[in-house]
């Protein structure tokens, strides 16, 4: 794709918008490396100065990240900011036009220890459901999620959890609950190999 040299909009801004659009369309996925500068110059018919300025501004915006000696990669910073919101991950992706692909890793009933009980505002020893899921976008693994739900508030929740439906939708449908607040701990991992090394993924505790 060649940029419009006759446009009043500077070429670096055009290139910046094109790369952002390619990221939104999944041409470049989170964690994926962009082509080298020289290749981008040929692809879009621009100079290295133009390409470098567009890339620099995308790096400053947190959309791309330069790794010394490796290249420039698409980051997950925007997703990280959005995940802090109360709405669920599936809802966020649906709003952005992407199809969430959650895969349940495990559902386990445990007794809450003091660390988990405190944010859930329950007593230690209370039965909780530990839900572990791996979220895919465009068939690429993106988010590992560990969530805890108090079974005193959501009895039999483990029976309603399904991969084809959002947990937030389950809470609304079966428990007439609209989550108003939650506590999330986020950890950014660059590869699935790194994720596999995490013995205890960062927890997310949800209280209503």
């Amino acid at each position: 794709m060649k940029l419009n040299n006759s446009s009043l909009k500077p070429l670096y801004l055009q290139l910046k918008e094109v790369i952002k659009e390619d990221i939104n369309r999944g041409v470049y996925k989170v964690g994926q490396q962009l082509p080298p500068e020289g290749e981008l110059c040929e692809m879009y018919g621009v100079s290295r100065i133009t390409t470098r300025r567009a890339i620099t501004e995308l790096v400053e915006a947190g959309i791309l990240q330069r790794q010394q000696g490796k290249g420039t990669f698409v980051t997950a910073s925007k997703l990280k900011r959005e995940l802090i919101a109360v709405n669920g991950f599936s809802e966020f992706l649906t709003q952005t036009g992407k199809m969430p692909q959650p895969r349940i890793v495990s559902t386990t009933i445990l007794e809450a220890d003091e660390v988990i009980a405190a944010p859930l505002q329950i007593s230690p020893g209370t039965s909780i459901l530990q839900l572990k899921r791996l979220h895919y976008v465009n068939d690429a693994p993106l988010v590992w999620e560990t969530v805890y739900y108090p079974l005193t508030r959501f009895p039999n929740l483990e029976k309603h959890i399904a991969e084809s439906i959002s947990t937030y939708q389950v809470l609304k449908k079966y428990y007439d609950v609209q989550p108003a607040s939650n506590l999330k701990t986020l950890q950014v991992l660059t590869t699935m190999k790194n994720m596999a090394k995490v013995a205890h993924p960062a927890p997310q505790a949800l209280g209503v």
Side-chain angles (χ1 to χ4, degrees):
M1 174 183 177
K2 301 298 182 181
L3 304 184
N4 186 358
N5 289 296
S6 61
S7 173
L8 294 177
K9 182 178 292 186
L11 288 175
Y12 81 91
L13 286 179
Q14 293 184 48
L15 179 56
K16 180 179 173 182
E17 292 177 359
V18 168
I19 294 175
K20 286 174 63 177
E21 179 60 27
D22 284 344
I23 293 172
N24 290 333
R25 292 190 297 111
V27 176
Y28 303 120
K29 299 178 176 63
V30 172
Q32 182 176 342
Q33 183 178 3
L34 258 63
E37 281 188 5
E39 197 171 320
L40 289 173
C41 292
E42 293 183 10
M43 289 171 58
Y44 299 106
V46 294
S47 67
R48 283 186 177 271
I49 294 177
T50 296
T51 301
R52 191 167 293 123
R53 182 168 180 182
I55 296 298
T56 297
E57 293 203 359
L58 289 171
V59 169
E60 292 174 350
I63 296 171
L64 299 178
Q65 180 183 41
R66 285 195 178 102
Q67 295 186 20
Q68 187 67 33
K70 294 183 178 181
T72 304
F73 297 80
V74 180
T75 71
S77 60
K78 185 177 188 299
L79 278 175
K80 182 179 177 182
R81 290 195 298 272
E82 294 294 344
L83 285 171
I84 296 174
V86 173
N87 61 309
F89 180 69
S90 296
E91 282 76 10
F92 162 66
L93 287 178
T94 301
Q95 290 170 6
T96 60
K98 297 180 175 64
M99 180 60 68
Q101 299 165 294
R103 297 185 185 177
I104 293 177
V105 176
S106 65
T107 55
T108 309
I109 296 178
L110 306 169
E111 291 186 357
D113 59 21
E114 293 183 358
V115 174
I116 299 301
L120 290 176
Q121 299 181 8
I122 58 177
S123 301
T126 300
S127 292
I128 59 173
L129 175 67
Q130 180 194 68
L131 171 63
K132 293 184 178 182
R133 292 190 298 184
L134 186 56
H135 293 272
Y136 287 72
V137 178
N138 297 326
D139 296 319
L142 181 60
V143 173
W144 173 278
E145 178 184 46
T146 302
V147 195
Y148 299 95
Y149 299 93
L151 291 177
T152 51
R153 180 66 182 85
F154 308 111
N156 300 315
L157 178 60
E158 70 280 4
K159 297 179 181 179
H160 301 305
I161 296 295
E163 295 188 4
S164 60
I165 191 170
S166 161
T167 307
Y168 278 61
Q169 292 177 0
V170 169
L171 297 181
K172 293 176 185 177
K173 179 178 180 180
Y174 294 100
Y175 302 97
D176 193 26
V177 165
Q178 173 67 53
S181 65
N182 56 24
L183 173 65
K184 298 181 181 181
T185 303
L186 304 177
Q187 183 177 9
V188 176
L189 301 172
T190 56
T191 66
M192 288 306 298
K193 288 183 179 179
N194 287 339
M195 184 177 293
K197 294 177 182 178
V198 179
H200 301 287
Q204 177 195 73
L206 180 132
V208 179

